[in-house]
Amino acid sequence: MANLKLSGVSKIYPSGKMALFNVSFSSSDGELIAITGGASSGKSTLLRIIAGLEECTAGDIYIGDKQVNDVDPKERDVAMIFRSNTLYPSLTVSENMAYGLKMRNFPSAVIEQRVKAAAQILGLSEVLYRKPKALTATQRQLTTYGRAIVREPKLYLLDDPLSGLDPKMRTQMRNVLINLQVRMKGTFLYATKNIAEAMSVATRIVVLKEGFVQQIDTPQNLYDYPANAYVGFFVGSPTMNLIQNAVVVKEEDGVYALFDDKKLKLSDKTISRWTNINEYIGTDKKVILGIRPEDITPDGEGAQLQGTVCGTDTTAELKLAEIDISKNNSLTVLLDGAVKGETHGVLIDTNRLYVFDADTQLTLLARDEGYVADTKNTEADFVPLTKGETEERQKQFAPPEKPAKKKR
């Protein structure tokens, strides 16, 4: 197997649209890295560039110790599994799995050995001579994985391979991929917009937003120590509550965050992690408070706030309620049996509070002893661009506006 290294990879289309900006990270042999982000974040584009299906505008790509920018896709020794991989209906499972090797003129004995080995790993030995129409949906999906396995590539690229599957099959295939990665000892890059999926399969996660890297770290560190408000909101389900435009004041009994007509006392732990808090106390500099639903206890003893239920979600596995706590802010909480219009107290674990600068969107809290450093993760200290810096780059590369058509 081989490690992967990207250095300053950017993609600007001829139209001027920017798809990726200065993406840099590296993987270890046998690591499974998830690439995640919302729509148009650049996940698929990044995989296609690594595979050689698209060229990068700037930057370097290394697979093992070899720079592959100018290497043809078939020479990069990479297998790519797309979300819509299809099988040849006239070929058997064995023939579908062997097709790529035959096109590369592998000896028949090698092809037969690899197909049988892959079929055994995937549990397809009994259906090797069936055609796709005689397979279950699970078996068809497994056959597409087998087609990649038989090539024994240095690098596996999976572009949202579970998209469109029903929940039960999605869970089953996710477990197959995790076990497959362990057995093959391969380096896997797994692109998905499903953050829960990324958190469950990956050793590390690269979070993208509109082509910009936001953070690269382990799933637990992304959850506990988000680099900015976007990562805080994106990582976790239910999503983080964000209280906008709060200011910080110091009173006789402590330091408070004020928003609308409410105030929330900051814990000593939060204050100790906020290294430049004096730049915010008593000034007009605003912050965003992040509060995860699981860190809120409805009607808990010593509740700091009160509010009225304005909405409920009883369809989710977790029973959720939305509580208005001030004129402009509401909190999503875990609350079963909530009724719209009810009043509830809200107890917030302020030791678990997140604080971001309202202008830059970057975290204001330093890591503490709870941060578990991964010595292989050289990108853990990466600081994303501020909101303003990102907007400037986007303006720089924005496609020129088309002139308005003249009215006749």
Side-chain angles (χ1 to χ4, degrees):
M1 292 302 132
N3 60 311
L4 170 73
K5 180 181 177 181
L6 305 181
S7 179
V9 171
S10 297
K11 176 66 176 181
I12 313 295
Y13 287 105
S15 66
K17 180 181 178 182
M18 179 178 60
L20 293 169
F21 179 79
N22 198 30
V23 178
S24 299
F25 68 89
S26 58
S27 72
S28 305
D29 286 351
E31 188 174 13
L32 197 162
I33 295 180
I35 313 294
T36 190
S40 301
S41 60
K43 304 181 296 293
S44 295
T45 301
L46 182 59
L47 292 196
R48 290 176 63 83
I49 287 174
I50 295 169
L53 303 178
E54 291 191 34
E55 292 183 357
C56 59
T57 308
D60 296 311
I61 305 162
Y62 295 86
I63 297 176
D65 297 324
K66 183 179 180 181
Q67 186 185 39
V68 297
N69 289 51
D70 298 322
V71 175
D72 288 340
K74 64 181 180 180
E75 302 297 331
R76 294 194 184 193
D77 204 6
V78 168
M80 190 161 183
I81 300 175
F82 297 93
R83 71 193 74 178
S84 58
N85 268 32
T86 55
L87 303 175
Y88 296 106
S90 62
L91 302 183
T92 64
V93 169
S94 177
E95 290 167 338
N96 266 287
M97 291 170 65
Y99 187 82
L101 298 182
K102 286 184 177 179
M103 292 298 99
R104 290 170 173 79
N105 297 316
F106 274 67
S108 298
V110 173
I111 294 175
E112 183 179 1
Q113 184 271 328
R114 288 194 184 183
V115 168
K116 286 183 177 180
Q120 187 174 12
I121 290 172
L122 296 168
L124 294 173
S125 298
E126 300 300 319
V127 297
L128 274 176
Y129 302 103
R130 294 182 189 175
K131 292 184 178 180
K133 66 180 181 181
L135 302 177
T136 65
T138 298
Q139 290 167 339
R140 286 193 293 271
Q141 189 78 13
L142 290 172
T143 302
T144 67
Y145 299 165
R147 196 160 52 187
I149 292 172
V150 296
R151 290 182 50 196
E152 298 182 1
K154 293 179 180 178
L155 186 64
Y156 294 82
L157 306 177
L158 299 96
D159 187 11
D160 214 355
L162 308 184
S163 178
L165 303 181
D166 63 67
K168 182 178 179 180
M169 187 176 173
R170 194 177 185 112
T171 299
Q172 181 184 354
M173 289 299 101
R174 183 177 66 221
N175 292 335
V176 167
L177 288 171
I178 293 172
N179 293 330
L180 182 62
Q181 192 267 338
V182 173
R183 292 191 64 169
M184 299 302 293
K185 296 182 173 60
T187 302
F188 280 50
L189 254 65
Y190 186 105
T192 176
K193 60 180 176 292
N194 187 319
I195 183 60
E197 199 167 274
M199 298 277 280
S200 68
V201 303
T203 51
R204 286 190 296 145
I205 299 174
V206 179
V207 182
L208 293 174
K209 180 188 178 187
E210 297 176 342
F212 293 83
V213 175
Q214 305 298 303
Q215 191 169 353
I216 304 172
D217 216 324
T218 64
Q220 192 63 53
N221 286 339
L222 289 179
Y223 181 88
D224 289 330
Y225 302 92
N228 59 23
Y230 177 79
V231 176
F233 183 81
F234 186 75
V235 175
S237 181
T239 55
M240 178 187 287
N241 296 291
L242 297 176
I243 296 177
Q244 306 284 346
N245 297 320
V247 295
V248 186
V249 298
K250 189 171 186 178
E251 299 184 359
E252 288 185 4
D253 62 337
V255 178
Y256 288 81
L258 308 184
F259 53 94
D260 296 336
D261 58 343
K262 305 292 183 179
K263 66 179 183 179
L264 181 66
K265 188 177 182 180
L266 304 182
S267 70
D268 291 340
K269 182 175 182 179
T270 297
I271 293 171
S272 68
R273 292 180 58 199
W274 192 342
T275 54
N276 64 338
I277 191 171
N278 289 328
E279 295 179 18
Y280 291 82
I281 293 176
T283 71
D284 59 358
K285 296 183 71 170
K286 292 182 171 59
V287 300
I288 301 169
L289 304 179
I291 308 167
R292 296 200 183 276
E294 49 269 44
D295 295 327
I296 301 172
T297 304
D299 301 318
E301 184 177 350
Q304 305 101 321
L305 302 168
Q306 279 201 335
T308 303
V309 175
C310 60
T312 61
D313 184 355
T314 58
T315 60
E317 184 176 334
L318 298 173
K319 306 305 178 184
L320 305 176
E322 186 175 356
I323 298 178
D324 278 332
I325 57 168
S326 69
K327 179 181 178 182
N328 297 301
N329 291 284
S330 63
L331 298 177
T332 298
V333 302
L334 305 176
L335 181 59
D336 193 7
V339 177
K340 194 171 182 178
E342 285 182 340
T343 298
H344 289 273
V346 176
L347 174 63
I348 298 170
D349 182 356
T350 52
N351 285 326
R352 296 282 303 163
L353 199 66
Y354 301 81
V355 187
F356 309 97
D357 182 273
D359 290 329
T360 67
Q361 307 274 296
L362 300 181
T363 183
L364 293 170
L365 303 184
R367 297 167 181 168
D368 58 13
E369 67 281 355
Y371 183 84
V372 180
D374 181 353
T375 56
K376 295 180 181 179
N377 185 13
T378 57
E379 298 87 10
D381 295 326
F382 170 80
V383 178
L385 297 179
T386 67
K387 180 183 178 183
E389 289 169 339
T390 301
E391 290 172 348
E392 283 300 313
R393 298 299 188 282
Q394 289 173 326
K395 288 178 184 177
Q396 179 182 351
F397 295 106
E401 293 185 7
K402 294 182 180 179
K405 291 183 179 180
K406 293 181 180 180
K407 294 182 179 181
R408 294 183 177 178

